[in-house]
């Protein structure tokens, strides 16, 4: 999956949780889930579960902790998809 | 001490969602009891129930789409809808535009259980070794205080935010807790109410105890029969009721509509002694509760125009009427009018007190006695105390000044509220 498609899918996943539509519209690799998108911190686990479902992967606790912005989320997904 | 009034109401009842629909259904004697195919499929003895009708469109008036993601809690759903309706009805601010908490306003909203269906989902997931897939939604929907927490957040309430629980007296108790707190000067406005989940996992325990009727599955609307000689158990229900309880001073400052005044009330327990038990009331405690409520209200028992009873449609209805008669020292033509809302909505468990209080306040405000449907074959022990005309079967418009509302619950707990028409 190329980066543009990956980012678009992540954008789709976070959309229902974001409280800041402007930041969502300009979402990029540096977009932070809490600071920029104003996602409620309790909802971060829901974002991860939705990402798992979307890509049919399982994200371990350590990876989950890293997923605080778009770049980290993309890296985690890429790594899981690349894993044998 | 502060005088305390009611300035807003909301309801989600089996026979009407929202005050206008509920008022119409109550006046017209329209039953909310329906056949429930799920109860039949699960082999319940009682296969009729009172479940409120809530459309998806209506949910979106009270919840945003994210809140409805993974949402499966009847108690929170009904309670939020009734509570928000009451707050809006009282024309109080709050909601998304509120930037700061309102330190003078709180919520005391009771429930017997919360999100039992959601908890069932969670239990299955955990047992399947999928605890990590529960997501973030379980706790807020299943904690007992979920309903007060949801309302407190939606309305930006900064005073006490709590949930009380005392079985079927819960709703009457929450109103009296609000009344006490306002009288003590610790709050100016409290959203008081109660809610309950419905469905097989809530009602199953009652079905197993054989306290629900199994003789009326073929005639749902005639199935809930308070005060009837053929009363054979209650019909389970669900929903929520909410009342804005406010100091008279605050209500006058805001130029609010005043529906009624809370003249007084009392809460007690029979201690599960004498004939009192986990499931049966101690009559001495019931009578004492009513007498103390009357005393605290500063009225003479003869001033009570109507009783809005607990009257569940079990064999205990006659005992309740005897207790009212002894507590008020009134019988025969001197007995007050009697209304039993459960004939129309069934027994909404922890929500029953609040839904019935909403009906009682409407009765007082608009001056009516609603039809006691299914009481055509009055129980002989009740008929010996109360003349037929005091238990109307048709809508009767009548000026009412004082209504007594009582609720009794498992654990041998009692509550009685005296409502009166507001006079400056």
């Amino acid at each position: 999956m190329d980066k543009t498609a990956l980012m678009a899918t992540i954008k789709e996943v976070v959309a229902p949780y974001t409280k800041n539509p402007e930041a969502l519209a300009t979402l990029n690799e540096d977009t932070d889930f809490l600071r920029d998108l104003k996602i409620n911190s309790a909802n971060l686990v829901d974002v991860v579960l939705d990402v798992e479902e979307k890509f049919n992967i399982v994200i371990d606790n350590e990876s989950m902790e890293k997923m605080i912005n778009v770049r980290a989320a993309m890296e985690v997904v890429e790594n899981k998809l690349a894993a044998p | 001490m502060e005088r305390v009034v009611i300035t807003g109401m909301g309801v989600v009842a089996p026979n009407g969602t929202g005050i206008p629909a509920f008022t119409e259904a109550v006046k017209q004697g329209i039953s909310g009891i329906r056949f429930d195919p799920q109860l039949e499929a699960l082999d319940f003895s009682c296969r009729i129930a009172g479940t409120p009708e809530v459309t998806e469109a209506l949910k979106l008036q009270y919840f945003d789409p994210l809140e409805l993601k993974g949402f499966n809690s009847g108690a929170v759903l009904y309670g939020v809808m009734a509570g928000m309706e009451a707050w809006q009805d009282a024309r109080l601010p709050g909601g998304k535009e509120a930037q700061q908490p309102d330190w003078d306003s709180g919520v005391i909203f009771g429930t017997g259980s919360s999100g039992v269906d959601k908890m069932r989902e969670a239990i299955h997931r955990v047992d399947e070794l999928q605890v990590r897939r529960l997501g973030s939604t379980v706790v807020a929907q299943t904690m007992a205080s979920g309903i007060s927490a949801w309302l407190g957040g939606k309305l930006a309430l900064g005073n006490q935010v709590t949930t009380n629980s005392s079985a079927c007296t819960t709703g009457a108790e929450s109103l009296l807790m609000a009344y006490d707190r306002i009288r003590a000067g610790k709050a100016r406005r409290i959203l008081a109410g109660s809610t309950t989940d419905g469905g097989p996992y809530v009602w199953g325990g009652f079905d197993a105890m054989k306290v629900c009727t199994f003789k009326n599955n073929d005639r749902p609307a005639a199935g809930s029969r308070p005060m009837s000689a053929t009363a054979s158990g209650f019909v389970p229900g669900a929903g929520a009721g909410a009342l804005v309880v406010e100091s008279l001073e605050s209500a006058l400052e805001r130029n609010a509509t005043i529906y009624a005044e809370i003249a007084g009330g009392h809460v007690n327990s029979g201690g599960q002694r004498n004939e009192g038990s986990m499931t049966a009331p101690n009559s001495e405690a019931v009578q004492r509760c009513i007498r103390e409520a009357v005393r605290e209200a500063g009225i003479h028992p003869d001033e009570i125009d109507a009783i809005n009873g607990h009257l569940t449609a079990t064999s205990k209805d006659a005992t309740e009427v005897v207790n009212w008669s002894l507590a008020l020292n009134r019988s025969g033509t001197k007995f007050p009018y009697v209304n039993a809302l459960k004939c129309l909505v069934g027994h909404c468990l922890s929500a029953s007190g609040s839904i019935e209080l909403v009906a009682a306040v409407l009765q007082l405000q608009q001056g009516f006695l609603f039809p006691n449907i299914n009481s055509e074959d009055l129980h002989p022990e009740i008929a010996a105390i109360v003349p037929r005309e005091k238990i109307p079967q048709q809508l009767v418009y009548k000026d009412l000044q004082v209504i007594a509302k009582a609720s009794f619950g498992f654990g041998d707990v009692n509550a009685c509220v005296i409502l009166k028409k507001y006079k400056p």
Side-chain angles (χ1 to χ4, degrees), chain B residues 312-326:
Chain B
T312 59
T314 65
S315 57
K316 294 278 186 271
D317 289 1
T319 309
E320 179 179 335
V321 171
V322 169
N323 284 333
W324 280 109
S325 179
L326 292 172

mmCIF file of all heavy atoms in Angstrom, chain B residues 312-326:
data_model
loop_
_atom_site.group_PDB
_atom_site.id
_atom_site.type_symbol
_atom_site.label_atom_id
_atom_site.label_comp_id
_atom_site.label_asym_id
_atom_site.label_seq_id
_atom_site.Cartn_x
_atom_site.Cartn_y
_atom_site.Cartn_z
ATOM 1 N N THR B 312 -48.591 -2.144 42.020
ATOM 2 C CA THR B 312 -47.861 -2.813 40.936
ATOM 3 C C THR B 312 -48.674 -3.847 40.167
ATOM 4 O O THR B 312 -48.215 -4.357 39.158
ATOM 5 C CB THR B 312 -46.639 -3.552 41.523
ATOM 6 O OG1 THR B 312 -47.103 -4.491 42.484
ATOM 7 C CG2 THR B 312 -45.678 -2.583 42.155
ATOM 8 N N ALA B 313 -49.851 -4.191 40.677
ATOM 9 C CA ALA B 313 -50.674 -5.282 40.117
ATOM 10 C C ALA B 313 -50.240 -6.641 40.649
ATOM 11 O O ALA B 313 -50.187 -7.633 39.924
ATOM 12 C CB ALA B 313 -50.706 -5.286 38.588
ATOM 13 N N THR B 314 -49.901 -6.658 41.917
ATOM 14 C CA THR B 314 -49.670 -7.938 42.594
ATOM 15 C C THR B 314 -50.681 -8.038 43.740
ATOM 16 O O THR B 314 -51.479 -7.122 43.962
ATOM 17 C CB THR B 314 -48.250 -8.035 43.205
ATOM 18 O OG1 THR B 314 -48.132 -7.060 44.242
ATOM 19 C CG2 THR B 314 -47.177 -7.788 42.159
ATOM 20 N N SER B 315 -50.600 -9.129 44.491
ATOM 21 C CA SER B 315 -51.519 -9.328 45.619
ATOM 22 C C SER B 315 -51.296 -8.268 46.694
ATOM 23 O O SER B 315 -52.112 -8.107 47.592
ATOM 24 C CB SER B 315 -51.302 -10.721 46.202
ATOM 25 O OG SER B 315 -49.941 -10.864 46.585
ATOM 26 N N LYS B 316 -50.172 -7.533 46.606
ATOM 27 C CA LYS B 316 -49.873 -6.521 47.625
ATOM 28 C C LYS B 316 -50.649 -5.203 47.426
ATOM 29 O O LYS B 316 -50.589 -4.325 48.284
ATOM 30 C CB LYS B 316 -48.380 -6.208 47.642
ATOM 31 C CG LYS B 316 -47.502 -7.374 48.103
ATOM 32 C CD LYS B 316 -47.465 -7.459 49.621
ATOM 33 C CE LYS B 316 -46.488 -8.510 50.120
ATOM 34 N NZ LYS B 316 -47.121 -9.834 50.258
ATOM 35 N N ASP B 317 -51.360 -5.069 46.310
ATOM 36 C CA ASP B 317 -52.097 -3.820 46.073
ATOM 37 C C ASP B 317 -53.099 -3.539 47.190
ATOM 38 O O ASP B 317 -53.238 -2.403 47.642
ATOM 39 C CB ASP B 317 -52.835 -3.867 44.720
ATOM 40 C CG ASP B 317 -51.890 -3.787 43.536
ATOM 41 O OD1 ASP B 317 -50.670 -3.712 43.742
ATOM 42 O OD2 ASP B 317 -52.388 -3.802 42.390
ATOM 43 N N ALA B 318 -53.808 -4.592 47.616
ATOM 44 C CA ALA B 318 -54.814 -4.404 48.671
ATOM 45 C C ALA B 318 -54.133 -3.962 49.967
ATOM 46 O O ALA B 318 -54.633 -3.068 50.666
ATOM 47 C CB ALA B 318 -55.603 -5.693 48.886
ATOM 48 N N THR B 319 -52.983 -4.555 50.273
ATOM 49 C CA THR B 319 -52.232 -4.159 51.468
ATOM 50 C C THR B 319 -51.851 -2.687 51.383
ATOM 51 O O THR B 319 -51.943 -1.949 52.375
ATOM 52 C CB THR B 319 -50.949 -5.017 51.593
ATOM 53 O OG1 THR B 319 -51.320 -6.386 51.490
ATOM 54 C CG2 THR B 319 -50.232 -4.754 52.893
ATOM 55 N N GLU B 320 -51.435 -2.245 50.203
ATOM 56 C CA GLU B 320 -51.048 -0.838 50.045
ATOM 57 C C GLU B 320 -52.236 0.083 50.332
ATOM 58 O O GLU B 320 -52.095 1.090 51.037
ATOM 59 C CB GLU B 320 -50.499 -0.574 48.634
ATOM 60 C CG GLU B 320 -50.110 0.908 48.456
ATOM 61 C CD GLU B 320 -49.530 1.246 47.076
ATOM 62 O OE1 GLU B 320 -48.991 0.337 46.409
ATOM 63 O OE2 GLU B 320 -49.627 2.426 46.686
ATOM 64 N N VAL B 321 -53.392 -0.278 49.787
ATOM 65 C CA VAL B 321 -54.576 0.574 49.992
ATOM 66 C C VAL B 321 -54.956 0.609 51.471
ATOM 67 O O VAL B 321 -55.289 1.678 52.015
ATOM 68 C CB VAL B 321 -55.752 0.096 49.105
ATOM 69 C CG1 VAL B 321 -57.032 0.837 49.478
ATOM 70 C CG2 VAL B 321 -55.423 0.316 47.628
ATOM 71 N N VAL B 322 -54.878 -0.533 52.137
ATOM 72 C CA VAL B 322 -55.147 -0.573 53.589
ATOM 73 C C VAL B 322 -54.167 0.355 54.316
ATOM 74 O O VAL B 322 -54.554 1.132 55.200
ATOM 75 C CB VAL B 322 -55.023 -2.021 54.130
ATOM 76 C CG1 VAL B 322 -55.037 -2.027 55.660
ATOM 77 C CG2 VAL B 322 -56.142 -2.899 53.578
ATOM 78 N N ASN B 323 -52.906 0.312 53.908
ATOM 79 C CA ASN B 323 -51.889 1.161 54.558
ATOM 80 C C ASN B 323 -52.167 2.652 54.347
ATOM 81 O O ASN B 323 -52.024 3.450 55.273
ATOM 82 C CB ASN B 323 -50.488 0.792 54.059
ATOM 83 C CG ASN B 323 -49.985 -0.493 54.680
ATOM 84 O OD1 ASN B 323 -50.395 -0.855 55.790
ATOM 85 N ND2 ASN B 323 -49.125 -1.204 53.978
ATOM 86 N N TRP B 324 -52.552 3.020 53.144
ATOM 87 C CA TRP B 324 -52.928 4.425 52.891
ATOM 88 C C TRP B 324 -54.095 4.814 53.804
ATOM 89 O O TRP B 324 -54.102 5.898 54.407
ATOM 90 C CB TRP B 324 -53.357 4.622 51.437
ATOM 91 C CG TRP B 324 -52.256 4.759 50.417
ATOM 92 C CD1 TRP B 324 -51.906 3.838 49.475
ATOM 93 C CD2 TRP B 324 -51.391 5.896 50.204
ATOM 94 N NE1 TRP B 324 -50.874 4.319 48.695
ATOM 95 C CE2 TRP B 324 -50.541 5.579 49.118
ATOM 96 C CE3 TRP B 324 -51.253 7.135 50.834
ATOM 97 C CZ2 TRP B 324 -49.566 6.459 48.632
ATOM 98 C CZ3 TRP B 324 -50.283 8.006 50.351
ATOM 99 C CH2 TRP B 324 -49.455 7.681 49.273
ATOM 100 N N SER B 325 -55.087 3.923 53.873
ATOM 101 C CA SER B 325 -56.295 4.214 54.636
ATOM 102 C C SER B 325 -55.964 4.417 56.118
ATOM 103 O O SER B 325 -56.438 5.367 56.756
ATOM 104 C CB SER B 325 -57.294 3.066 54.444
ATOM 105 O OG SER B 325 -58.457 3.300 55.194
ATOM 106 N N LEU B 326 -55.122 3.530 56.656
ATOM 107 C CA LEU B 326 -54.757 3.652 58.071
ATOM 108 C C LEU B 326 -53.864 4.866 58.312
ATOM 109 O O LEU B 326 -54.037 5.588 59.300
ATOM 110 C CB LEU B 326 -54.051 2.371 58.532
ATOM 111 C CG LEU B 326 -54.942 1.125 58.595
ATOM 112 C CD1 LEU B 326 -54.107 -0.127 58.874
ATOM 113 C CD2 LEU B 326 -56.028 1.289 59.669
#
